[in-house]
Amino acid sequence: MIKSAQLHDDRAPSAQLRPPRPVATTPRTTPRITGTNCRPDEPAHGATKAALHALGQSLAVALAPHGIAVTSVAPGFVATERQTGKLSGPEGERLRAESPFGRVGTPEEVAATVHFLASPAAAWASETIVDLNGASHLRI
Protein backbone atom coordinates (compact mmCIF):
# COMPACT_ATOMS: atom_id res chain seq x y z
CA MET A 1 0.00 0.00 0.00
CA ILE A 2 1.27 3.52 -0.80
CA LYS A 3 1.61 5.70 2.28
CA SER A 4 0.50 9.33 2.13
CA ALA A 5 4.07 10.47 2.82
CA GLN A 6 5.20 8.71 -0.34
CA LEU A 7 2.45 10.40 -2.32
CA HIS A 8 3.38 13.74 -0.84
CA ASP A 9 6.99 13.36 -2.04
CA ASP A 10 5.84 12.48 -5.57
CA ARG A 11 3.63 15.53 -5.68
CA ALA A 12 6.55 17.91 -5.12
CA PRO A 13 6.90 20.70 -7.74
CA SER A 14 9.74 18.87 -9.52
CA ALA A 15 7.54 15.78 -9.90
CA GLN A 16 4.78 17.92 -11.40
CA LEU A 17 7.15 19.15 -14.14
CA ARG A 18 8.03 15.63 -15.29
CA PRO A 19 6.20 14.55 -18.42
CA PRO A 20 3.76 11.72 -17.66
CA ARG A 21 4.80 8.19 -18.48
CA PRO A 22 1.80 7.00 -20.53
CA VAL A 23 0.55 3.44 -20.62
CA ALA A 24 -2.02 2.28 -23.15
CA THR A 25 -3.66 -1.04 -22.43
CA THR A 26 -5.28 -3.39 -24.92
CA PRO A 27 -6.18 -6.47 -22.93
CA ARG A 28 -6.87 -8.62 -25.97
CA THR A 29 -10.16 -7.35 -27.34
CA THR A 30 -12.03 -5.18 -24.88
CA PRO A 31 -15.04 -3.89 -26.75
CA ARG A 32 -17.24 -1.41 -24.94
CA ILE A 33 -20.16 -3.17 -23.33
CA THR A 34 -23.31 -1.99 -25.11
CA GLY A 35 -26.61 -3.47 -26.08
CA THR A 36 -25.26 -4.12 -29.58
CA ASN A 37 -22.51 -6.51 -28.53
CA CYS A 38 -23.68 -8.08 -25.26
CA ARG A 39 -23.69 -11.85 -25.22
CA PRO A 40 -26.73 -13.01 -23.21
CA ASP A 41 -25.54 -16.61 -23.40
CA GLU A 42 -22.07 -15.62 -22.09
CA PRO A 43 -22.59 -13.31 -19.09
CA ALA A 44 -19.02 -13.78 -17.86
CA HIS A 45 -17.75 -12.28 -21.14
CA GLY A 46 -19.48 -8.95 -20.53
CA ALA A 47 -18.63 -8.92 -16.84
CA THR A 48 -14.95 -9.50 -17.60
CA LYS A 49 -14.81 -6.71 -20.18
CA ALA A 50 -16.52 -4.29 -17.77
CA ALA A 51 -14.04 -5.29 -15.05
CA LEU A 52 -11.07 -4.56 -17.35
CA HIS A 53 -12.45 -1.09 -18.12
CA ALA A 54 -13.01 -0.38 -14.43
CA LEU A 55 -9.50 -1.61 -13.59
CA GLY A 56 -7.93 0.67 -16.20
CA GLN A 57 -9.86 3.68 -14.93
CA SER A 58 -8.97 2.91 -11.30
CA LEU A 59 -5.31 2.52 -12.21
CA ALA A 60 -5.40 5.85 -14.05
CA VAL A 61 -6.58 7.63 -10.90
CA ALA A 62 -4.19 5.75 -8.61
CA LEU A 63 -1.12 6.24 -10.82
CA ALA A 64 -1.68 9.86 -11.89
CA PRO A 65 0.14 11.28 -8.82
CA HIS A 66 3.17 9.28 -9.95
CA GLY A 67 3.14 10.77 -13.45
CA ILE A 68 1.67 7.68 -15.11
CA ALA A 69 -1.26 8.04 -17.52
CA VAL A 70 -3.40 4.98 -18.26
CA THR A 71 -5.85 4.60 -21.14
CA SER A 72 -7.64 1.58 -22.58
CA VAL A 73 -8.33 0.71 -26.19
CA ALA A 74 -11.58 -1.08 -27.04
CA PRO A 75 -11.34 -2.32 -30.62
CA GLY A 76 -14.35 -3.60 -32.45
CA PHE A 77 -13.93 -6.35 -35.04
CA VAL A 78 -10.38 -6.25 -36.48
CA ALA A 79 -9.23 -8.04 -39.65
CA THR A 80 -6.47 -10.22 -38.26
CA GLU A 81 -5.18 -13.53 -39.64
CA ARG A 82 -7.27 -15.29 -37.03
CA GLN A 83 -10.44 -13.68 -38.42
CA THR A 84 -9.79 -14.39 -42.12
CA GLY A 85 -12.25 -17.30 -42.15
CA LYS A 86 -15.08 -15.20 -40.75
CA LEU A 87 -14.41 -12.31 -43.13
CA SER A 88 -14.23 -14.51 -46.24
CA GLY A 89 -17.31 -16.53 -45.29
CA PRO A 90 -21.00 -15.59 -45.11
CA GLU A 91 -20.48 -13.76 -41.81
CA GLY A 92 -18.02 -11.32 -43.44
CA GLU A 93 -20.69 -9.27 -45.18
CA ARG A 94 -22.63 -8.84 -41.95
CA LEU A 95 -19.51 -7.84 -40.02
CA ARG A 96 -18.55 -5.22 -42.61
CA ALA A 97 -22.14 -3.90 -42.70
CA GLU A 98 -22.05 -3.20 -38.94
CA SER A 99 -20.00 -0.07 -39.65
CA PRO A 100 -21.22 2.78 -41.84
CA PHE A 101 -17.74 2.66 -43.39
CA GLY A 102 -18.62 -0.78 -44.79
CA ARG A 103 -15.50 -2.47 -43.46
CA VAL A 104 -13.84 -3.74 -40.31
CA GLY A 105 -10.80 -2.29 -38.56
CA THR A 106 -7.19 -3.11 -39.33
CA PRO A 107 -4.36 -4.03 -36.98
CA GLU A 108 -2.50 -0.96 -38.26
CA GLU A 109 -5.36 1.31 -37.10
CA VAL A 110 -5.27 -0.21 -33.63
CA ALA A 111 -1.47 0.05 -33.52
CA ALA A 112 -1.54 3.72 -34.58
CA THR A 113 -3.97 4.53 -31.80
CA VAL A 114 -1.91 2.68 -29.19
CA HIS A 115 1.22 4.43 -30.47
CA PHE A 116 -0.43 7.82 -29.97
CA LEU A 117 -1.82 6.90 -26.54
CA ALA A 118 1.63 5.77 -25.43
CA SER A 119 3.08 9.17 -26.29
CA PRO A 120 3.36 12.11 -23.87
CA ALA A 121 0.98 14.06 -26.15
CA ALA A 122 -1.88 11.77 -25.02
CA ALA A 123 -1.35 12.12 -21.25
CA TRP A 124 -4.51 14.16 -20.79
CA ALA A 125 -6.53 11.23 -22.19
CA SER A 126 -5.75 9.26 -19.02
CA GLU A 127 -8.72 7.29 -17.64
CA THR A 128 -10.46 7.14 -21.01
CA ILE A 129 -11.55 4.14 -23.03
CA VAL A 130 -10.97 4.68 -26.73
CA ASP A 131 -13.57 2.87 -28.83
CA LEU A 132 -12.15 1.79 -32.20
CA ASN A 133 -15.23 0.45 -33.89
CA GLY A 134 -15.81 2.50 -37.04
CA ALA A 135 -19.07 3.88 -35.62
CA SER A 136 -20.48 0.35 -35.64
CA HIS A 137 -22.35 0.96 -32.38
CA LEU A 138 -24.21 4.00 -33.72
CA ARG A 139 -26.74 2.08 -35.78
CA ILE A 140 -30.30 3.36 -35.60
Side-chain angles (χ1 to χ4, degrees), residues 56-87:
Q57 291 175 322
S58 295
L59 287 173
V61 173
L63 297 174
H66 303 284
I68 299 172
V70 180
T71 57
S72 296
V73 176
F77 199 91
V78 177
T80 62
E81 281 184 34
R82 183 175 176 207
Q83 302 300 343
T84 302
K86 283 185 184 177
L87 289 171

PDB file of all heavy atoms in Angstrom, residues 56-87:
ATOM      1  N   GLY A  56      -8.732  -0.359 -15.531  1.00  0.00           N
ATOM      2  CA  GLY A  56      -7.931   0.671 -16.197  1.00  0.00           C
ATOM      3  C   GLY A  56      -8.231   2.057 -15.667  1.00  0.00           C
ATOM      4  O   GLY A  56      -7.320   2.866 -15.434  1.00  0.00           O
ATOM      5  N   GLN A  57      -9.492   2.363 -15.441  1.00  0.00           N
ATOM      6  CA  GLN A  57      -9.857   3.677 -14.934  1.00  0.00           C
ATOM      7  C   GLN A  57      -9.386   3.856 -13.495  1.00  0.00           C
ATOM      8  O   GLN A  57      -8.905   4.925 -13.124  1.00  0.00           O
ATOM      9  CB  GLN A  57     -11.367   3.887 -15.069  1.00  0.00           C
ATOM     10  CG  GLN A  57     -11.748   4.021 -16.536  1.00  0.00           C
ATOM     11  CD  GLN A  57     -13.241   4.117 -16.763  1.00  0.00           C
ATOM     12  OE1 GLN A  57     -14.027   3.463 -16.090  1.00  0.00           O
ATOM     13  NE2 GLN A  57     -13.626   4.936 -17.726  1.00  0.00           N
ATOM     14  N   SER A  58      -9.474   2.821 -12.674  1.00  0.00           N
ATOM     15  CA  SER A  58      -8.974   2.910 -11.300  1.00  0.00           C
ATOM     16  C   SER A  58      -7.464   3.101 -11.274  1.00  0.00           C
ATOM     17  O   SER A  58      -6.936   3.892 -10.489  1.00  0.00           O
ATOM     18  CB  SER A  58      -9.357   1.650 -10.511  1.00  0.00           C
ATOM     19  OG  SER A  58     -10.754   1.565 -10.370  1.00  0.00           O
ATOM     20  N   LEU A  59      -6.768   2.365 -12.137  1.00  0.00           N
ATOM     21  CA  LEU A  59      -5.309   2.520 -12.212  1.00  0.00           C
ATOM     22  C   LEU A  59      -4.918   3.927 -12.662  1.00  0.00           C
ATOM     23  O   LEU A  59      -3.939   4.492 -12.176  1.00  0.00           O
ATOM     24  CB  LEU A  59      -4.705   1.478 -13.155  1.00  0.00           C
ATOM     25  CG  LEU A  59      -4.664   0.053 -12.627  1.00  0.00           C
ATOM     26  CD1 LEU A  59      -4.211  -0.905 -13.730  1.00  0.00           C
ATOM     27  CD2 LEU A  59      -3.748  -0.047 -11.416  1.00  0.00           C
ATOM     28  N   ALA A  60      -5.700   4.490 -13.577  1.00  0.00           N
ATOM     29  CA  ALA A  60      -5.403   5.846 -14.050  1.00  0.00           C
ATOM     30  C   ALA A  60      -5.449   6.842 -12.899  1.00  0.00           C
ATOM     31  O   ALA A  60      -4.571   7.705 -12.771  1.00  0.00           O
ATOM     32  CB  ALA A  60      -6.385   6.250 -15.146  1.00  0.00           C
ATOM     33  N   VAL A  61      -6.447   6.723 -12.043  1.00  0.00           N
ATOM     34  CA  VAL A  61      -6.578   7.634 -10.905  1.00  0.00           C
ATOM     35  C   VAL A  61      -5.468   7.372  -9.886  1.00  0.00           C
ATOM     36  O   VAL A  61      -4.829   8.300  -9.385  1.00  0.00           O
ATOM     37  CB  VAL A  61      -7.972   7.489 -10.246  1.00  0.00           C
ATOM     38  CG1 VAL A  61      -8.058   8.294  -8.962  1.00  0.00           C
ATOM     39  CG2 VAL A  61      -9.058   7.922 -11.219  1.00  0.00           C
ATOM     40  N   ALA A  62      -5.195   6.103  -9.607  1.00  0.00           N
ATOM     41  CA  ALA A  62      -4.195   5.754  -8.609  1.00  0.00           C
ATOM     42  C   ALA A  62      -2.775   6.111  -9.044  1.00  0.00           C
ATOM     43  O   ALA A  62      -1.940   6.474  -8.207  1.00  0.00           O
ATOM     44  CB  ALA A  62      -4.271   4.255  -8.296  1.00  0.00           C
ATOM     45  N   LEU A  63      -2.489   6.025 -10.346  1.00  0.00           N
ATOM     46  CA  LEU A  63      -1.123   6.243 -10.821  1.00  0.00           C
ATOM     47  C   LEU A  63      -0.843   7.672 -11.273  1.00  0.00           C
ATOM     48  O   LEU A  63       0.312   8.047 -11.459  1.00  0.00           O
ATOM     49  CB  LEU A  63      -0.807   5.252 -11.943  1.00  0.00           C
ATOM     50  CG  LEU A  63      -0.826   3.785 -11.517  1.00  0.00           C
ATOM     51  CD1 LEU A  63      -0.653   2.862 -12.724  1.00  0.00           C
ATOM     52  CD2 LEU A  63       0.231   3.502 -10.465  1.00  0.00           C
ATOM     53  N   ALA A  64      -1.874   8.478 -11.443  1.00  0.00           N
ATOM     54  CA  ALA A  64      -1.677   9.860 -11.894  1.00  0.00           C
ATOM     55  C   ALA A  64      -0.722  10.645 -10.984  1.00  0.00           C
ATOM     56  O   ALA A  64       0.145  11.368 -11.494  1.00  0.00           O
ATOM     57  CB  ALA A  64      -3.020  10.570 -12.021  1.00  0.00           C
ATOM     58  N   PRO A  65      -0.808  10.529  -9.665  1.00  0.00           N
ATOM     59  CA  PRO A  65       0.137  11.275  -8.823  1.00  0.00           C
ATOM     60  C   PRO A  65       1.596  10.887  -9.040  1.00  0.00           C
ATOM     61  O   PRO A  65       2.497  11.605  -8.649  1.00  0.00           O
ATOM     62  CB  PRO A  65      -0.309  10.928  -7.393  1.00  0.00           C
ATOM     63  CG  PRO A  65      -1.734  10.520  -7.514  1.00  0.00           C
ATOM     64  CD  PRO A  65      -1.827   9.849  -8.867  1.00  0.00           C
ATOM     65  N   HIS A  66       1.813   9.746  -9.676  1.00  0.00           N
ATOM     66  CA  HIS A  66       3.174   9.283  -9.951  1.00  0.00           C
ATOM     67  C   HIS A  66       3.594   9.600 -11.386  1.00  0.00           C
ATOM     68  O   HIS A  66       4.604   9.083 -11.868  1.00  0.00           O
ATOM     69  CB  HIS A  66       3.266   7.772  -9.687  1.00  0.00           C
ATOM     70  CG  HIS A  66       2.865   7.406  -8.299  1.00  0.00           C
ATOM     71  ND1 HIS A  66       3.673   7.622  -7.200  1.00  0.00           N
ATOM     72  CD2 HIS A  66       1.704   6.892  -7.821  1.00  0.00           C
ATOM     73  CE1 HIS A  66       3.048   7.236  -6.119  1.00  0.00           C
ATOM     74  NE2 HIS A  66       1.846   6.787  -6.466  1.00  0.00           N
ATOM     75  N   GLY A  67       2.793  10.385 -12.084  1.00  0.00           N
ATOM     76  CA  GLY A  67       3.135  10.774 -13.449  1.00  0.00           C
ATOM     77  C   GLY A  67       2.864   9.696 -14.477  1.00  0.00           C
ATOM     78  O   GLY A  67       3.461   9.702 -15.553  1.00  0.00           O
ATOM     79  N   ILE A  68       1.978   8.765 -14.174  1.00  0.00           N
ATOM     80  CA  ILE A  68       1.669   7.684 -15.105  1.00  0.00           C
ATOM     81  C   ILE A  68       0.235   7.849 -15.590  1.00  0.00           C
ATOM     82  O   ILE A  68      -0.702   7.919 -14.793  1.00  0.00           O
ATOM     83  CB  ILE A  68       1.853   6.303 -14.443  1.00  0.00           C
ATOM     84  CG1 ILE A  68       3.306   6.142 -13.992  1.00  0.00           C
ATOM     85  CG2 ILE A  68       1.441   5.185 -15.409  1.00  0.00           C
ATOM     86  CD1 ILE A  68       3.562   4.896 -13.164  1.00  0.00           C
ATOM     87  N   ALA A  69       0.056   7.932 -16.892  1.00  0.00           N
ATOM     88  CA  ALA A  69      -1.256   8.044 -17.516  1.00  0.00           C
ATOM     89  C   ALA A  69      -1.665   6.670 -18.039  1.00  0.00           C
ATOM     90  O   ALA A  69      -0.844   5.966 -18.625  1.00  0.00           O
ATOM     91  CB  ALA A  69      -1.224   9.056 -18.659  1.00  0.00           C
ATOM     92  N   VAL A  70      -2.916   6.288 -17.832  1.00  0.00           N
ATOM     93  CA  VAL A  70      -3.404   4.977 -18.264  1.00  0.00           C
ATOM     94  C   VAL A  70      -4.654   5.171 -19.113  1.00  0.00           C
ATOM     95  O   VAL A  70      -5.589   5.834 -18.690  1.00  0.00           O
ATOM     96  CB  VAL A  70      -3.746   4.073 -17.062  1.00  0.00           C
ATOM     97  CG1 VAL A  70      -4.264   2.713 -17.542  1.00  0.00           C
ATOM     98  CG2 VAL A  70      -2.540   3.900 -16.156  1.00  0.00           C
ATOM     99  N   THR A  71      -4.659   4.608 -20.295  1.00  0.00           N
ATOM    100  CA  THR A  71      -5.852   4.598 -21.143  1.00  0.00           C
ATOM    101  C   THR A  71      -6.085   3.165 -21.619  1.00  0.00           C
ATOM    102  O   THR A  71      -5.178   2.346 -21.596  1.00  0.00           O
ATOM    103  CB  THR A  71      -5.714   5.512 -22.376  1.00  0.00           C
ATOM    104  OG1 THR A  71      -4.572   5.110 -23.118  1.00  0.00           O
ATOM    105  CG2 THR A  71      -5.576   6.964 -21.992  1.00  0.00           C
ATOM    106  N   SER A  72      -7.303   2.903 -22.057  1.00  0.00           N
ATOM    107  CA  SER A  72      -7.636   1.582 -22.578  1.00  0.00           C
ATOM    108  C   SER A  72      -8.136   1.725 -24.010  1.00  0.00           C
ATOM    109  O   SER A  72      -8.760   2.721 -24.354  1.00  0.00           O
ATOM    110  CB  SER A  72      -8.724   0.924 -21.730  1.00  0.00           C
ATOM    111  OG  SER A  72      -8.259   0.703 -20.418  1.00  0.00           O
ATOM    112  N   VAL A  73      -7.868   0.727 -24.807  1.00  0.00           N
ATOM    113  CA  VAL A  73      -8.328   0.711 -26.193  1.00  0.00           C
ATOM    114  C   VAL A  73      -9.343  -0.421 -26.310  1.00  0.00           C
ATOM    115  O   VAL A  73      -9.088  -1.541 -25.877  1.00  0.00           O
ATOM    116  CB  VAL A  73      -7.157   0.488 -27.168  1.00  0.00           C
ATOM    117  CG1 VAL A  73      -7.651   0.368 -28.594  1.00  0.00           C
ATOM    118  CG2 VAL A  73      -6.150   1.622 -27.025  1.00  0.00           C
ATOM    119  N   ALA A  74     -10.509  -0.098 -26.873  1.00  0.00           N
ATOM    120  CA  ALA A  74     -11.585  -1.079 -27.036  1.00  0.00           C
ATOM    121  C   ALA A  74     -11.871  -1.259 -28.522  1.00  0.00           C
ATOM    122  O   ALA A  74     -12.749  -0.616 -29.077  1.00  0.00           O
ATOM    123  CB  ALA A  74     -12.833  -0.609 -26.293  1.00  0.00           C
ATOM    124  N   PRO A  75     -11.104  -2.132 -29.187  1.00  0.00           N
ATOM    125  CA  PRO A  75     -11.335  -2.317 -30.620  1.00  0.00           C
ATOM    126  C   PRO A  75     -12.587  -3.136 -30.896  1.00  0.00           C
ATOM    127  O   PRO A  75     -12.923  -4.046 -30.141  1.00  0.00           O
ATOM    128  CB  PRO A  75     -10.086  -3.067 -31.083  1.00  0.00           C
ATOM    129  CG  PRO A  75      -9.578  -3.752 -29.871  1.00  0.00           C
ATOM    130  CD  PRO A  75      -9.998  -2.925 -28.693  1.00  0.00           C
ATOM    131  N   GLY A  76     -13.261  -2.773 -31.954  1.00  0.00           N
ATOM    132  CA  GLY A  76     -14.352  -3.603 -32.448  1.00  0.00           C
ATOM    133  C   GLY A  76     -13.741  -4.756 -33.241  1.00  0.00           C
ATOM    134  O   GLY A  76     -12.616  -5.176 -32.978  1.00  0.00           O
ATOM    135  N   PHE A  77     -14.445  -5.235 -34.249  1.00  0.00           N
ATOM    136  CA  PHE A  77     -13.934  -6.347 -35.042  1.00  0.00           C
ATOM    137  C   PHE A  77     -12.738  -5.878 -35.869  1.00  0.00           C
ATOM    138  O   PHE A  77     -12.805  -4.857 -36.545  1.00  0.00           O
ATOM    139  CB  PHE A  77     -15.022  -6.893 -35.965  1.00  0.00           C
ATOM    140  CG  PHE A  77     -14.715  -8.267 -36.453  1.00  0.00           C
ATOM    141  CD1 PHE A  77     -15.148  -9.373 -35.750  1.00  0.00           C
ATOM    142  CD2 PHE A  77     -13.965  -8.454 -37.598  1.00  0.00           C
ATOM    143  CE1 PHE A  77     -14.846 -10.660 -36.195  1.00  0.00           C
ATOM    144  CE2 PHE A  77     -13.652  -9.722 -38.052  1.00  0.00           C
ATOM    145  CZ  PHE A  77     -14.100 -10.830 -37.340  1.00  0.00           C
ATOM    146  N   VAL A  78     -11.625  -6.606 -35.783  1.00  0.00           N
ATOM    147  CA  VAL A  78     -10.385  -6.253 -36.485  1.00  0.00           C
ATOM    148  C   VAL A  78      -9.998  -7.401 -37.411  1.00  0.00           C
ATOM    149  O   VAL A  78     -10.037  -8.572 -37.030  1.00  0.00           O
ATOM    150  CB  VAL A  78      -9.247  -5.967 -35.476  1.00  0.00           C
ATOM    151  CG1 VAL A  78      -7.939  -5.664 -36.193  1.00  0.00           C
ATOM    152  CG2 VAL A  78      -9.629  -4.818 -34.552  1.00  0.00           C
ATOM    153  N   ALA A  79      -9.601  -7.055 -38.632  1.00  0.00           N
ATOM    154  CA  ALA A  79      -9.232  -8.042 -39.649  1.00  0.00           C
ATOM    155  C   ALA A  79      -7.822  -8.575 -39.385  1.00  0.00           C
ATOM    156  O   ALA A  79      -6.842  -8.103 -39.937  1.00  0.00           O
ATOM    157  CB  ALA A  79      -9.303  -7.419 -41.043  1.00  0.00           C
ATOM    158  N   THR A  80      -7.745  -9.566 -38.528  1.00  0.00           N
ATOM    159  CA  THR A  80      -6.472 -10.222 -38.256  1.00  0.00           C
ATOM    160  C   THR A  80      -6.441 -11.561 -38.980  1.00  0.00           C
ATOM    161  O   THR A  80      -7.461 -12.025 -39.512  1.00  0.00           O
ATOM    162  CB  THR A  80      -6.309 -10.464 -36.741  1.00  0.00           C
ATOM    163  OG1 THR A  80      -7.358 -11.342 -36.308  1.00  0.00           O
ATOM    164  CG2 THR A  80      -6.349  -9.153 -35.958  1.00  0.00           C
ATOM    165  N   GLU A  81      -5.282 -12.210 -39.000  1.00  0.00           N
ATOM    166  CA  GLU A  81      -5.176 -13.531 -39.635  1.00  0.00           C
ATOM    167  C   GLU A  81      -6.168 -14.505 -39.019  1.00  0.00           C
ATOM    168  O   GLU A  81      -6.762 -15.324 -39.720  1.00  0.00           O
ATOM    169  CB  GLU A  81      -3.753 -14.070 -39.474  1.00  0.00           C
ATOM    170  CG  GLU A  81      -2.759 -13.483 -40.440  1.00  0.00           C
ATOM    171  CD  GLU A  81      -1.394 -14.139 -40.293  1.00  0.00           C
ATOM    172  OE1 GLU A  81      -1.333 -15.354 -39.987  1.00  0.00           O
ATOM    173  OE2 GLU A  81      -0.394 -13.443 -40.488  1.00  0.00           O
ATOM    174  N   ARG A  82      -6.363 -14.390 -37.728  1.00  0.00           N
ATOM    175  CA  ARG A  82      -7.273 -15.295 -37.027  1.00  0.00           C
ATOM    176  C   ARG A  82      -8.717 -15.132 -37.504  1.00  0.00           C
ATOM    177  O   ARG A  82      -9.509 -16.059 -37.413  1.00  0.00           O
ATOM    178  CB  ARG A  82      -7.166 -15.017 -35.529  1.00  0.00           C
ATOM    179  CG  ARG A  82      -7.989 -15.921 -34.693  1.00  0.00           C
ATOM    180  CD  ARG A  82      -7.730 -15.649 -33.231  1.00  0.00           C
ATOM    181  NE  ARG A  82      -8.617 -16.471 -32.427  1.00  0.00           N
ATOM    182  CZ  ARG A  82      -9.023 -16.159 -31.233  1.00  0.00           C
ATOM    183  NH1 ARG A  82      -8.619 -15.048 -30.677  1.00  0.00           N
ATOM    184  NH2 ARG A  82      -9.825 -16.949 -30.571  1.00  0.00           N
ATOM    185  N   GLN A  83      -9.067 -13.960 -37.998  1.00  0.00           N
ATOM    186  CA  GLN A  83     -10.443 -13.678 -38.415  1.00  0.00           C
ATOM    187  C   GLN A  83     -10.670 -13.829 -39.920  1.00  0.00           C
ATOM    188  O   GLN A  83     -11.765 -13.565 -40.406  1.00  0.00           O
ATOM    189  CB  GLN A  83     -10.837 -12.263 -37.978  1.00  0.00           C
ATOM    190  CG  GLN A  83     -10.723 -12.024 -36.493  1.00  0.00           C
ATOM    191  CD  GLN A  83     -11.604 -12.950 -35.667  1.00  0.00           C
ATOM    192  OE1 GLN A  83     -12.531 -13.572 -36.159  1.00  0.00           O
ATOM    193  NE2 GLN A  83     -11.290 -13.057 -34.385  1.00  0.00           N
ATOM    194  N   THR A  84      -9.676 -14.256 -40.665  1.00  0.00           N
ATOM    195  CA  THR A  84      -9.793 -14.393 -42.116  1.00  0.00           C
ATOM    196  C   THR A  84     -10.965 -15.282 -42.520  1.00  0.00           C
ATOM    197  O   THR A  84     -11.708 -14.955 -43.441  1.00  0.00           O
ATOM    198  CB  THR A  84      -8.475 -14.937 -42.718  1.00  0.00           C
ATOM    199  OG1 THR A  84      -7.419 -14.051 -42.375  1.00  0.00           O
ATOM    200  CG2 THR A  84      -8.557 -15.060 -44.226  1.00  0.00           C
ATOM    201  N   GLY A  85     -11.148 -16.389 -41.834  1.00  0.00           N
ATOM    202  CA  GLY A  85     -12.247 -17.304 -42.154  1.00  0.00           C
ATOM    203  C   GLY A  85     -13.608 -16.641 -42.018  1.00  0.00           C
ATOM    204  O   GLY A  85     -14.474 -16.802 -42.878  1.00  0.00           O
ATOM    205  N   LYS A  86     -13.803 -15.894 -40.940  1.00  0.00           N
ATOM    206  CA  LYS A  86     -15.082 -15.199 -40.748  1.00  0.00           C
ATOM    207  C   LYS A  86     -15.308 -14.157 -41.832  1.00  0.00           C
ATOM    208  O   LYS A  86     -16.407 -14.019 -42.362  1.00  0.00           O
ATOM    209  CB  LYS A  86     -15.127 -14.512 -39.382  1.00  0.00           C
ATOM    210  CG  LYS A  86     -15.381 -15.436 -38.249  1.00  0.00           C
ATOM    211  CD  LYS A  86     -15.518 -14.649 -36.960  1.00  0.00           C
ATOM    212  CE  LYS A  86     -15.682 -15.596 -35.792  1.00  0.00           C
ATOM    213  NZ  LYS A  86     -15.744 -14.866 -34.530  1.00  0.00           N
ATOM    214  N   LEU A  87     -14.267 -13.397 -42.155  1.00  0.00           N
ATOM    215  CA  LEU A  87     -14.414 -12.312 -43.133  1.00  0.00           C
ATOM    216  C   LEU A  87     -14.626 -12.828 -44.548  1.00  0.00           C
ATOM    217  O   LEU A  87     -15.289 -12.177 -45.357  1.00  0.00           O
ATOM    218  CB  LEU A  87     -13.215 -11.379 -43.081  1.00  0.00           C
ATOM    219  CG  LEU A  87     -13.146 -10.505 -41.832  1.00  0.00           C
ATOM    220  CD1 LEU A  87     -11.828  -9.766 -41.755  1.00  0.00           C
ATOM    221  CD2 LEU A  87     -14.313  -9.535 -41.803  1.00  0.00           C
TER     222      LEU A  87
END
